[in-house]
Amino acid sequence: VEATSGLTKPTMSAAARAAAPSVWSLTTRTGRLRVPRVRKQILVDMMSRKMADRSLVAVAHTGNLTYEQSALLKREVQSAGGSIHVVKNSLLGLGMRNAGLDALVPLLRGKVAVAVGDDEVALAQTLLGASKKVPDFFVLGAVLQSRRVLRHTEVERLAKLPPAEVVYSNLVSQMLPGSVLRVPNPAAHLVALLGHHSSGGDADGGGGGERE
């Protein structure tokens, strides 16, 4: 944020500025506003909360996005019930480690964004679809249910899975009268389904994902 010509140098003393680190201060040589460390920590904590315990956290390469492309990605991801964020890689990496997503940190190179959501299949479909609308946008990898690391090819497989509601409906329709459907965790069921899909359809050599 560039300082305007009418902005004067703060008269707050050095001691007062040290006692109040959340106050914005000017760098006299560059004329730019400097964010105190406490504000960076707030951003790290905010991203950590957004990524923690989410069904799918994906890292995507963005390239140099235009304003229109950024707005398009935001709308597309929101339509899938998720959100997408562009944050300085170093801060995003700290947030990922705090959220237990260390496996994604090596992907934070260059211009990237992180997308999070609780509808795994819908978000995966949206991110892959966005790559057709934004040329430089593509998924690098993801973590499903905070435990299964997905490569790009596995995100593609995830996008081809039926929604959890459809899986349950099919299971219920095949139940015998009086029996009880026991699926303790919908997300865990999707993880198992993806693992079965990967092991049964690896003719392309993609292989299974790493597990933490």
Side-chain angles (χ1 to χ4, degrees):
V1 179
E2 297 290 344
T4 60
S5 58
L7 196 59
T8 58
K9 183 178 180 180
T11 57
M12 185 182 297
S13 66
R17 287 197 297 271
S22 61
V23 177
W24 289 80
S25 59
L26 285 174
T27 55
T28 55
R29 278 183 282 185
T30 63
R32 297 173 184 236
L33 289 171
R34 182 179 58 196
V35 183
R37 184 174 301 178
V38 66
R39 291 183 180 271
K40 294 182 180 180
Q41 186 59 50
I42 290 174
L43 182 57
V44 169
D45 293 343
M46 179 186 72
M47 290 307 304
S48 178
R49 290 193 299 270
K50 286 182 179 295
M51 294 184 289
D53 301 321
R54 302 306 294 269
S55 295
L56 187 68
V57 179
V59 176
H61 177 268
T62 63
N64 295 313
L65 296 174
T66 65
Y67 175 81
E68 291 76 14
Q69 290 172 334
S70 297
L72 172 65
L73 289 173
K74 183 177 180 179
R75 289 195 304 270
E76 295 279 325
V77 173
Q78 285 181 340
S79 69
S83 59
I84 188 167
H85 310 274
V86 177
V87 181
K88 187 176 179 180
N89 289 352
S90 59
L91 301 182
L92 187 55
L94 291 174
M96 285 180 171
R97 289 189 174 94
N98 291 345
L101 300 169
D102 301 59
L104 292 179
V105 175
L107 300 181
L108 302 179
R109 296 178 180 276
K111 296 183 181 297
V112 299
V114 59
V116 301
D118 291 323
D119 189 334
E120 308 95 332
V121 176
L123 182 56
Q125 291 172 343
T126 297
L127 295 176
L128 293 178
S131 64
K132 300 176 182 178
K133 302 176 182 179
V134 181
D136 291 332
F137 184 88
F138 58 90
V139 178
L140 297 170
V143 168
L144 180 64
Q145 286 305 309
S146 302
R147 55 180 175 174
R148 182 182 176 94
V149 181
L150 306 181
R151 304 170 186 173
H152 174 80
T153 54
E154 291 178 307
V155 176
E156 292 180 331
R157 293 190 182 103
L158 178 62
K160 295 176 182 178
L161 294 179
E165 295 79 5
V166 174
V167 175
Y168 301 152
S169 177
N170 292 338
L171 289 173
V172 170
S173 67
Q174 298 174 21
M175 289 170 55
L176 296 175
S179 59
V180 178
L181 176 63
R182 296 185 181 277
V183 181
N185 187 321
H189 180 67
L190 269 181
V191 172
L193 187 60
L194 178 62
H196 175 74
H197 187 78
S198 297
S199 61
D202 258 346
D204 61 352
E210 300 177 18
R211 294 179 183 269
E212 287 294 293

